[in-house]
Amino acid sequence: MSTARFFRALFLGIILASTWNGVEGGSGGQNARLDVRGDLHFPLHARATNNDGSLPVYKDPKASIEDRVNDLLPRMTLQEKVAQLIQGDLDGWMDTSNPLDDTKTFNQSGLEEMLTTKTGEIWAGYLMPWDKLVYGITIGQQFLMENTTLGIPAIVQSEGLHGFTDNGTIWPSPIGLSASFNTELLQQAATTIGTEAEGLGYTQLFAPVLDLSRELRWGRVEENFGEDPFLTGEMGHAYVTGVQSGRRRNASSTAVARVASTCKHFAAFGSPQGGLNIAQVTGGERELRTMYLKPFNRACVESLSIMTAYASYDGIPAVANHHLLTDILRNEWDYQYFVTTDAGSVDLLITTHGTCDTRECAAKMALENGIQGEMGGGSYTYLTLPDQVEAGTVNVSYIDETVKTVLRTKFSLGLFENPYPYDDYLSTLRTPATRELLHQMEQEAIVLLQNNGNTLPLSKDIGSVALVGPQVDRVSFGDYVFFNASLNGISPLEGFQQLLANTSVKINFAEGCKLWSNDESEIPAAVAAAEASDAVIVMVGTWSLDQTLLWTPGTNATTGEHVDLSDLGLVGAQLKLVQEVTQVGKPTIVVLVSGKPVAEPWIQEHADAVIQQFYPGELGGLALAEVVFGDANPSGKLPVSFPRSVGTTPCFYNYLKGARPIDPGEITDNGTLVFGHQYVLDTPVPMWSFGHGLSYTTFNYTDLELSKPTISTNEDFDVTVTVHNTGAMDGKEVVQVYTTDVVSSVVTPNQNLVGFQKVLIPAGGSETVTIHVNSSQLALWSLQSQWVVEPGTFTIKVGTSDQSFLSTNLTVQ
């Protein structure tokens, strides 16, 4: 043994002697620790071995995960345990400052310093060449596996909200993915996202986001799956399943996943007061249970990680909410895996929420209430934990229980057998098969909102088309993509040029205005392009930026994290542009490219057709052209309702009974004031409601049947309906089932989505669709604070949130 290794072993032995605690934990005195230490079956000078020479259970890939966890924990010093709870960072030993630099060197002292105190997870979400990334991750894992006493690998983390961010394939933003209403396709998409990350050595992705888009001013609406808890839960479950399914190469047979998904933000984060990021969320237990927790319960009980939220709920910071994180998540749901704070959120107990005044207090509150690790971005409050244990202010049992969740996640990922990147990682990145799936998703995510007089699809026999607007020659990805990711995308202009390359259709392009300016000087050129064309496509909307520019002072955006809005209308000269080109009199199609609903009723009232494209992925420009010219039949549905103005929000469809009386007023085009009461000069009815979306064909519904017209309170049932394609084009339809609890002991939503299924029906054909509904979907949170399915009548509707195609009654007794 070298001199350095000898002193290091001696140092660890001293630490062990002074801080030792066993599996059961506790903060008892020195004698209690000596008693536990006396029963150890391994030597203190070689804790990765057994006294009898047998293989330690934690090193045995055939042993059960729980046995491995329970064998490893007592071998760890207090400092090693705390280090497992803190996120390290690749920049501790790699130069991450230049995304183009490919120098494969590392800082040895930085490596040792970082991976001595922060070893549980490694943040490696940096833009750099793939080979350098693989090199840096390998160096870190080798150090932990080969140069530490116990050889515990790290979880390596990055973002994966709508694609693996380090030059992986970028998919539509989650709200666009959700607009597909296609869980099978989303699961396949998530599988590719996990595969791209896995090959490079990543083992945790920070996604999916399961916040609800009920507060549309909030900047992060694009990161959600929409306003509805059921749709969000189903889409989240599909994402989690796709990312995690399978196991890493050469992993133990007990491993249950290859990459850990991370459900966030737990919980109720997406409805902050005033729409302002991290502001308080106000609500009670019933709203928490009925709306905000349902997606997490559906999607995340089998997810290997959950991330807590920045905000407070009902006055309690989510990061230190015992009821939320311990009573519900751990005790009710029996969640066994790793929970992490969001970046810097433990410090917010001091700086924002004002519930602590010291780092020690913040660490204690987050740990003991949350059984969670600490992400970086703050002051690393958890570094105070060893001293707090010694002082008796923190019970070491909380550390032990939290470390167990980290180790359990690592064993479940098979990291002790193979934590390294794959040699053939290039074979898993940006493959033709992934691009084919992406192309399908891009098409299915587009929503046809309006199509007066069958304006669409346009014919390729048309002489010319004007492409007008600031979104035409732009790749608009949402947030959580890396710098220059848009270089991999196809803009709408490029997409139309590709589609029409072998036709005689002439494209007349004019930008018309900037997204971020009131300057109207370019509008005349756009009007001229419209006058010279047979049809006009005007593309406007919101915009976000990549993760470098979004946080750079002096840049601008209208959506994304920490980018909140007071107005949901178009910014700058965009509406003026739409109005001017529409008044030319040519067939006018307005395309809204955005991360959230755009509240512009003038467009609904005057455009011939309206298309919604939530921020697309790399092939969004081509898919849009294909939809406009009929190469693809639109099948997307809205995952979120469109208000008429910010003043008519919230406008989500599943409002409580009695919450939306309607006696509308209006301001007509000529300025006449027509007064009402709800609202005086407007209406709370959305322009387009949740579940809405048109097709180029028509569908008719017949033969609605329930498997049983009467069921018991714990009995599931099926809803069956036949859907006929009565048009001339093959099309995909989303069959949606809603329920209403007619009379209930507490106020319940006017309707709830309880099932949906997307089906392809050929022209002239039909499809019989059966949707299963669990009895639990009829439950309410009762006056006795428990889930109850009450006897009574439930209306079963097939249609959309604002249309009923067929309905019947279900009796529960």
Side-chain angles (χ1 to χ4, degrees):
M1 178 184 291
S2 68
T3 302
R5 284 180 178 266
F6 171 80
F7 280 109
R8 183 172 182 278
L10 179 63
F11 175 68
L12 284 175
I14 293 171
I15 293 175
L16 207 60
S18 63
T19 65
W20 188 261
N21 55 83
V23 174
E24 296 304 318
S27 57
Q30 182 72 13
N31 291 336
R33 292 187 185 119
L34 289 172
D35 290 341
V36 174
R37 188 179 64 196
D39 295 333
L40 297 178
H41 59 285
F42 54 86
L44 293 183
H45 67 276
R47 290 176 289 124
T49 66
N50 284 345
N51 290 329
D52 62 4
S54 62
L55 180 71
V57 173
Y58 87 90
K59 292 185 176 182
D60 182 0
K62 297 181 180 179
S64 74
I65 289 174
E66 288 308 298
D67 286 346
R68 298 179 79 179
V69 169
N70 290 328
D71 179 67
L72 177 54
L73 186 70
R75 299 173 187 267
M76 301 172 68
T77 67
L78 176 61
Q79 281 78 4
E80 287 171 337
K81 292 176 181 178
V82 171
Q84 285 295 308
L85 304 184
I86 303 176
Q87 180 194 53
D89 201 307
L90 189 69
D91 72 358
W93 62 94
M94 297 294 294
D95 181 2
T96 62
S97 61
N98 183 352
L100 300 179
D101 175 65
D102 199 19
T103 304
K104 286 178 279 294
T105 59
F106 71 96
N107 181 319
Q108 180 68 34
S109 62
L111 177 71
E112 295 180 7
E113 180 181 358
M114 178 65 69
L115 295 185
T116 298
T117 59
K118 307 175 186 70
T119 62
E121 306 80 44
I122 296 172
W123 172 251
Y126 292 100
L127 181 60
M128 64 177 67
W130 289 330
D131 58 343
K132 180 180 177 180
L133 193 61
V134 165
Y135 173 82
I137 291 173
T138 300
I139 289 294
Q141 294 287 33
Q142 282 180 336
F143 177 85
L144 292 172
M145 296 290 285
E146 300 172 11
N147 296 95
T148 63
T149 300
L150 296 173
I152 303 174
I155 297 171
V156 181
Q157 306 166 319
S158 189
E159 301 290 352
L161 188 64
H162 51 118
F164 170 64
T165 47
D166 192 352
N167 203 28
T169 304
I170 299 301
W171 294 75
S173 283
I175 195 169
L177 298 172
S178 190
S180 73
F181 272 69
N182 191 333
T183 53
E184 181 180 350
L185 183 58
L186 178 55
Q187 182 174 326
Q188 292 176 299
T191 297
T192 71
I193 294 170
T195 298
E196 290 191 335
E198 177 189 2
L200 289 167
Y202 290 96
T203 48
Q204 183 180 5
L205 293 177
F206 290 162
V209 173
L210 300 177
D211 305 318
L212 299 181
S213 301
R214 292 161 66 86
E215 171 49 84
L216 299 178
R217 292 172 293 180
W218 190 49
R220 304 181 74 172
V221 168
E222 68 207 57
E223 301 179 28
N224 305 341
F225 290 126
E227 68 188 38
D228 178 67
F230 180 78
L231 176 64
T232 298
E234 294 303 301
M235 289 295 175
H237 183 266
Y239 184 96
V240 168
T241 303
V243 165
Q244 294 194 164
S245 290
R247 61 171 63 96
R248 292 181 57 76
R249 299 177 189 174
N250 302 317
S252 61
S253 61
T254 57
V256 299
R258 61 202 177 105
V259 176
S261 63
T262 309
C263 294
K264 57 181 187 175
H265 307 85
F266 195 75
F269 183 51
S271 297
Q273 187 176 88
L276 298 172
N277 194 45
I278 83 167
Q280 74 209 55
V281 181
T282 302
E285 184 76 4
R286 183 165 290 102
E287 186 170 10
L288 180 71
R289 300 272 189 168
T290 302
M291 292 295 168
Y292 300 120
L293 290 184
K294 280 187 175 180
F296 287 94
N297 182 257
R298 167 61 174 143
C300 304
V301 172
E302 295 180 357
S303 174
L304 265 61
S305 181
I306 288 176
M307 184 186 297
T308 52
Y310 286 121
S312 63
Y313 185 81
D314 194 27
I316 303 175
V319 74
N321 190 323
H322 187 275
H323 178 58
L324 189 63
L325 300 177
T326 300
D327 294 343
I328 296 175
L329 181 62
R330 298 295 187 184
N331 297 336
E332 284 187 31
W333 297 2
D334 195 30
Y335 187 71
Q336 298 293 310
Y337 297 109
F338 175 50
V339 174
T340 177
T341 71
D342 207 337
S345 63
V346 181
D347 291 70
L348 297 186
L349 296 174
I350 306 168
T351 61
T352 300
H353 302 304
T355 57
C356 278
D357 57 356
T358 65
R359 293 172 65 237
E360 287 79 4
C361 169
K364 175 182 172 67
M365 295 294 290
L367 174 73
E368 295 187 352
N369 289 293
I371 313 297
Q372 62 191 313
E374 182 177 36
M375 195 186 295
S379 65
Y380 292 110
T381 69
Y382 275 29
L383 292 176
T384 68
L385 289 176
D387 287 343
Q388 292 202 73
V389 170
E390 288 303 298
T393 57
V394 169
N395 191 317
V396 75
S397 65
Y398 289 104
I399 294 175
D400 284 351
E401 288 306 308
T402 310
V403 171
K404 284 183 181 181
T405 68
V406 177
L407 297 179
R408 186 177 293 118
T409 297
K410 291 182 177 183
F411 284 121
S412 296
L413 288 167
L415 297 185
F416 282 77
E417 287 68 55
N418 181 18
Y420 300 111
Y422 301 155
D423 291 338
D424 63 345
Y425 63 86
L426 288 175
S427 68
T428 66
L429 289 156
R430 306 186 66 81
T431 67
T434 295
R435 200 162 181 83
E436 185 176 343
L437 277 176
L438 172 63
H439 193 182
Q440 180 183 348
M441 178 61 84
E442 301 276 21
Q443 292 174 341
E444 294 199 23
I446 292 173
V447 185
L448 179 61
L449 297 177
Q450 186 166 296
N451 193 19
N452 299 341
N454 293 323
T455 299
L456 292 174
L458 296 180
S459 169
K460 290 180 183 175
D461 292 330
I462 196 171
S464 59
V465 61
L467 296 183
V468 170
Q471 290 283 19
V472 173
D473 193 20
R474 174 186 173 87
V475 175
S476 284
F477 292 155
D479 66 354
Y480 281 91
V481 296
F482 279 5
F483 185 65
N484 280 341
S486 61
L487 296 178
N488 289 325
I490 296 174
S491 71
L493 180 59
E494 293 171 315
F496 279 94
Q497 288 170 338
Q498 286 185 25
L499 186 71
L500 301 175
N502 296 319
T503 73
S504 60
V505 180
K506 181 182 179 183
I507 295 174
N508 296 314
F509 166 61
E511 186 177 39
C513 68
K514 303 295 184 185
L515 283 167
W516 47 81
S517 174
N518 284 315
D519 184 2
E520 300 179 6
S521 62
E522 295 182 60
I523 291 180
V527 171
E531 292 173 336
S533 305
D534 297 312
V536 183
I537 303 167
V538 54
M539 301 184 60
V540 291
T542 62
W543 71 99
S544 190
L545 297 171
D546 62 57
Q547 288 305 101
T548 297
L549 295 177
L550 192 66
W551 297 88
T552 298
T555 55
N556 60 63
T558 54
T559 72
E561 186 174 0
H562 87 299
V563 182
D564 309 313
L565 291 172
S566 65
D567 191 329
L568 298 175
L570 293 170
V571 170
Q574 291 185 85
L575 180 59
K576 180 70 171 179
L577 171 65
V578 175
Q579 292 171 332
E580 291 294 323
V581 298
T582 299
Q583 290 171 9
V584 169
K586 303 295 178 68
T588 303
I589 301 101
V590 176
V591 179
L592 301 171
V593 180
S594 66
K596 63 175 61 180
V598 172
E600 290 291 1
W602 192 96
I603 291 175
Q604 181 196 40
E605 294 160 7
H606 296 87
D608 296 299
V610 183
I611 289 173
Q612 173 63 43
Q613 185 178 44
F614 293 110
Y615 294 141
E618 295 179 12
L619 296 178
L622 176 61
L624 178 63
E626 291 169 334
V627 166
V628 167
F629 277 94
D631 289 50
N633 191 352
S635 63
K637 305 290 183 180
L638 287 182
V640 61
S641 302
F642 275 52
R644 294 179 58 82
S645 72
V646 71
T648 64
T649 60
C651 67
F652 46 80
Y653 85 94
N654 50 354
Y655 55 88
L656 295 185
K657 296 171 186 172
R660 195 168 292 171
I662 299 170
D663 178 16
E666 66 172 319
I667 304 174
T668 66
D669 275 355
N670 65 11
T672 301
L673 304 181
V674 180
F675 290 92
H677 298 91
Q678 289 91 27
Y679 289 102
V680 170
L681 292 171
D682 213 328
T683 174
V685 177
M687 291 190 293
W688 298 290
S689 191
F690 175 89
H692 172 76
L694 304 178
S695 170
Y696 292 152
T697 191
T698 53
F699 299 101
N700 184 43
Y701 286 69
T702 64
D703 305 315
L704 174 63
E705 292 183 358
L706 303 180
S707 54
K708 294 177 66 176
T710 302
I711 62 172
S712 64
T713 56
N714 61 356
E715 192 173 359
D716 299 346
F717 65 97
D718 293 332
V719 179
T720 300
V721 67
T722 300
V723 187
H724 307 264
N725 184 338
T726 56
M729 182 182 290
D730 297 349
K732 294 178 180 178
E733 172 69 333
V734 178
V735 180
Q736 305 168 49
V737 177
Y738 297 81
T739 64
T740 300
D741 190 346
V742 178
V743 178
S744 51
S745 61
V746 298
V747 182
T748 53
N750 75 97
Q751 58 181 323
N752 284 310
L753 179 72
V754 295
F756 62 89
Q757 185 176 331
K758 194 166 197 175
V759 290
L760 172 63
I761 307 176
S766 64
E767 187 78 23
T768 298
V769 177
T770 297
I771 293 175
H772 185 75
V773 181
N774 293 324
S775 61
S776 60
Q777 293 172 258
L778 304 179
L780 54 77
W781 189 251
S782 72
L783 293 168
Q784 289 72 41
S785 296
Q786 57 186 356
W787 287 111
V788 174
V789 177
E790 295 183 336
T793 300
F794 288 79
T795 300
I796 309 298
K797 180 185 81 171
V798 176
T800 68
S801 69
D802 62 350
Q803 286 184 292
S804 177
F805 302 149
L806 295 170
S807 67
T808 189
N809 287 334
L810 172 72
T811 300
V812 178
Q813 61 182 21

